[in-house]
Amino acid sequence: MNTRTVSDVIVIGAGVAGASVALRLADAGRHVTVLARHALEDSASNQAMGGIAAAIGPDDSPALHLADTLAAGGELCREATVRGVVERAPAAIEWLLAQGVAFDRDGDALDLTQEGAHSRRRVVHAADTTGRAVMLALTRRLRAHPRITLLGAHAAMELLVEGDPAGASGRSCRGVRALDLNRGLLRTLHADHVVLATGGASGIYPVSTNRARPVGDGIALAWRAGCRVADMEMVQFHPTALRHPASEGWLVTEAVRGEGGRLMLPDGERFMHRYDPRGELAPRDIVARAIHTEMTAHKLEFVLLDISHESPEFIRGHFPNTYQHCLALGLDITREPIPVAPAAHYTCGGVVTGGAGQTDVAGLYAIGETAWTGLHGANRLASNSLLEGLVYGEAAAAAILADVPRGSALEDAAGRPALHAVTAALDARAKQEARQLAAGIRRLMAREVGIVRSDRGLAAAAAGLEAMQSRAEGLYRMHGPAPELLELRNLACVGLLVTRSALLRSESRGAHYNRDHPDTGPHAMSTMLQSWTPAVLVDPRAVA
């Protein structure tokens, strides 16, 4: 294994955001170390099905893409951020094409499909396995690049933050301490810049669309380092996750609805028109709540998503992954509907960043789902997620390349020990307690901090999570950085951040619905938490 302990840049996470920034930096001559906790095939980016939104069609424009994103975001987006992203979207697609990504084509042009809340067909895709096609090309380059050290099965434990009187915040990040999950070794890595690209936190709920069940590792790392977080309560539940005991939470792409899929009750009645004139193509928050309402009213475990009115050739051609996955479970979607229910999917909030992913700590960047940029507002527009990772990967790389290196500390670090003692494995009793505590946190999040919330439920959840977090920290102090405790610690931290943010918002907006405050307030304000001051509501346009 490559034992480089000093790099120009450390990237934590190897999804589309992490791969994008790492490749751009390495291509520019920087030495980059990439840490990946899970197999690259398990990243949320690799599992993305729908595609990447970009205004490249003859009837489309960045202005229309901007308008659709702002409308879906419940007036909580930062317009300047959205404009910058949608205007750079076509260039992001061109960059992927240059990396060898094989998108579907309609003749000489890229084929475009439509998804919920988009006013135009603007989603570039590779059938219904777009993320896999993108990551196949990017990971091939990551593994082969001579200036990239890829450390698989490594979990970031803590950021190395020190005082920096010259920095605006008085603090700077100089590296990371990580656990080698295969060997149980603690590895200390140093760099001028660290990029958090660990994805979101859908795994703080019992059912997630991401099989790796991410718990917001990067968000927890940044929070403990003193960074602000914003709009953490805006957890997007994807409306159509497969409901099947052998494949719970598997995502049924939104493109199924974009191509005419119908949501129905078991008796065949369509219901979305009762909730929104756009029907099945309404924004995700509206569709997820509608399904939740119908399931509650009729005591259902799922509703049905039907595309069988289209020809079998059309279905197999447009949705081969969905077709094959369902067929393996005994469901033929060319002849019968798909049982679906909402599942935790995307973290719209995250670590507060500037225009290039800069955080409150000098030298520390956050990009992709880990970050709050103001792009998604209260509800992410479909297929803007991979786009964000690409655009901010480019922006962060440019900012890092333009920054002045702080080499003296790194030269000193070269002589320090890089590997530390093997961590002791947890005994059976501690493992059992960690499992029970994690399950309890997830159950509490689902019951009180899910699609529909209440003041009383949120207050009870906050009290319960504070006690659970205290116990998680106690286990961590007692037993050290075992893999189970690293995850538990982050799960408890992020679950409490989501809950505290939800308590701040006395209204319903986007992905946050509180039955005690069902109306949207007159002013769109972001929730902001920071460890050294009280929680506040702020105008998202004013966040620096």
Side-chain angles (χ1 to χ4, degrees):
M1 174 181 289
N2 189 315
T3 56
R4 173 185 288 274
T5 62
V6 178
S7 305
D8 296 316
V9 184
I10 297 169
V11 177
I12 306 174
V16 70
S20 172
V21 69
L23 288 171
R24 291 178 184 276
L25 288 166
D27 285 345
R30 298 296 173 92
H31 290 280
V32 183
T33 295
V34 177
L35 274 62
R37 177 168 188 158
H38 301 286
L40 301 190
E41 295 73 21
D42 284 339
S43 73
S45 297
N46 193 76
Q47 295 171 57
M49 294 184 182
I52 304 170
I56 60 177
D59 63 342
D60 204 358
S61 69
L64 290 172
H65 191 179
L66 169 73
D68 291 346
T69 301
L70 294 176
E75 300 182 326
L76 204 61
C77 301
R78 297 177 76 183
E79 185 170 341
T81 294
V82 179
R83 181 176 291 106
V85 171
V86 300
E87 289 178 349
R88 288 147 72 185
I93 299 300
E94 290 298 324
W95 185 78
L96 287 177
L97 290 170
Q99 307 309 304
V101 178
F103 291 118
D104 289 351
R105 291 186 174 271
D106 181 7
D108 293 332
L110 292 173
D111 186 57
L112 303 174
T113 190
Q114 188 167 6
E115 294 183 348
H118 286 274
S119 60
R120 296 290 187 276
R121 299 180 72 90
R122 68 165 65 96
V123 179
V124 179
H125 61 97
D128 58 348
T129 55
T130 304
R132 189 186 305 169
V134 169
M135 293 311 300
L136 180 66
L138 298 187
T139 55
R140 184 184 296 124
R141 289 207 62 215
L142 276 179
R143 289 181 168 125
H145 206 296
R147 285 185 292 276
I148 292 178
T149 300
L150 181 59
L151 297 179
H154 275 66
M157 187 180 79
E158 64 179 341
L159 299 172
L160 304 180
V161 177
E162 59 186 42
D164 184 359
S169 67
R171 294 160 294 142
S172 66
C173 184
R174 295 302 185 97
V176 62
R177 187 166 289 115
L179 177 64
D180 181 335
L181 299 172
N182 288 335
R183 298 195 291 168
L185 295 176
L186 294 179
R187 186 181 297 274
T188 301
L189 303 167
H190 303 273
D192 255 340
H193 300 89
V194 175
V195 181
L196 298 172
T198 61
S202 62
I204 65 175
Y205 293 89
V207 181
S208 166
T209 59
N210 189 331
R211 62 176 172 261
R213 303 186 80 188
V215 296
D217 291 342
I219 296 170
L221 286 168
W223 173 257
R224 289 195 287 267
C227 294
R228 295 169 294 169
V229 297
D231 291 339
M232 287 295 297
E233 75 279 18
M234 298 303 179
V235 178
Q236 184 179 80
F237 285 75
H238 198 287
T240 57
L242 181 64
R243 193 61 185 263
H244 191 283
S247 190
E248 195 70 37
W250 191 86
L251 184 66
V252 179
T253 174
E254 186 147 335
V256 172
R257 286 181 285 128
E259 294 294 343
R262 303 164 180 169
L263 285 167
M264 307 183 304
L265 298 175
D267 62 3
E269 178 191 356
R270 296 176 69 178
F271 56 86
M272 273 310 305
H273 65 280
R274 299 201 301 269
Y275 296 90
D276 192 282
R278 291 165 290 187
E280 282 83 359
L281 292 182
R284 286 178 176 176
D285 60 316
I286 295 173
V287 180
R289 274 197 303 277
I291 293 174
H292 179 274
T293 300
E294 295 293 329
M295 287 170 56
T296 301
H298 298 285
K299 296 181 171 58
L300 301 172
E301 293 294 321
F302 53 80
V303 296
L304 300 173
L305 175 61
D306 189 26
I307 191 69
S308 64
H309 51 276
E310 296 289 350
S311 71
E313 294 75 21
F314 177 91
I315 294 169
R316 288 192 289 264
H318 281 71
F319 311 114
N321 187 38
T322 303
Y323 171 75
Q324 291 292 343
H325 186 85
C326 290
L327 194 63
L329 298 172
L331 298 170
D332 183 352
I333 67 172
T334 68
R335 303 173 60 184
E336 59 187 318
I338 310 167
V340 296
H345 181 57
Y346 194 87
T347 307
C348 295
V351 182
V352 174
T353 66
Q358 309 96 321
T359 72
D360 295 324
V361 175
L364 179 65
Y365 291 70
I367 58 175
E369 195 175 351
T370 305
W372 177 91
T373 64
L375 172 63
H376 306 303
N379 175 56
R380 175 173 68 81
L381 181 67
S383 290
N384 270 355
S385 54
L386 294 180
L387 173 62
E388 180 185 34
L390 292 164
V391 168
Y392 275 88
E394 177 189 17
I400 290 169
L401 291 170
D403 198 8
V404 177
R406 296 162 290 157
S408 58
L410 299 184
E411 292 165 6
D412 294 341
R416 302 175 193 167
L419 294 176
H420 306 274
V422 176
T423 59
L426 288 183
D427 59 37
R429 183 175 179 178
K431 279 189 177 182
Q432 177 68 7
E433 183 175 0
R435 282 195 296 267
Q436 291 176 344
L437 196 52
I441 292 171
R442 289 183 168 110
R443 284 195 302 269
L444 185 55
M445 292 298 297
R447 187 173 67 245
E448 305 294 1
V449 203
I451 295 175
V452 176
R453 303 162 178 176
S454 69
D455 288 347
R456 182 176 181 179
L458 290 171
L465 288 166
E466 286 171 1
M468 291 175 175
Q469 184 185 37
S470 177
R471 183 54 189 157
E473 291 291 342
L475 286 171
Y476 183 80
R477 288 192 299 271
M478 183 182 303
H479 297 283
E484 300 92 338
L485 298 185
L486 286 179
E487 178 174 288
L488 175 63
R489 191 184 188 211
N490 293 342
L491 166 63
C493 172
V494 176
L496 188 54
L497 290 176
V498 171
T499 305
R500 286 176 175 168
S501 295
L503 276 168
L504 274 180
R505 188 170 292 282
S506 298
E507 62 163 359
S508 291
R509 185 184 298 272
H512 172 80
Y513 184 83
N514 186 327
R515 64 167 63 96
D516 295 320
H517 309 281
D519 298 323
T520 300
H523 305 293
M525 303 290 281
S526 284
T527 59
M528 186 169 293
L529 304 180
Q530 43 196 24
S531 57
W532 63 93
T533 64
V536 294
L537 291 168
V538 297
D539 186 333
R541 296 168 297 179
V543 179

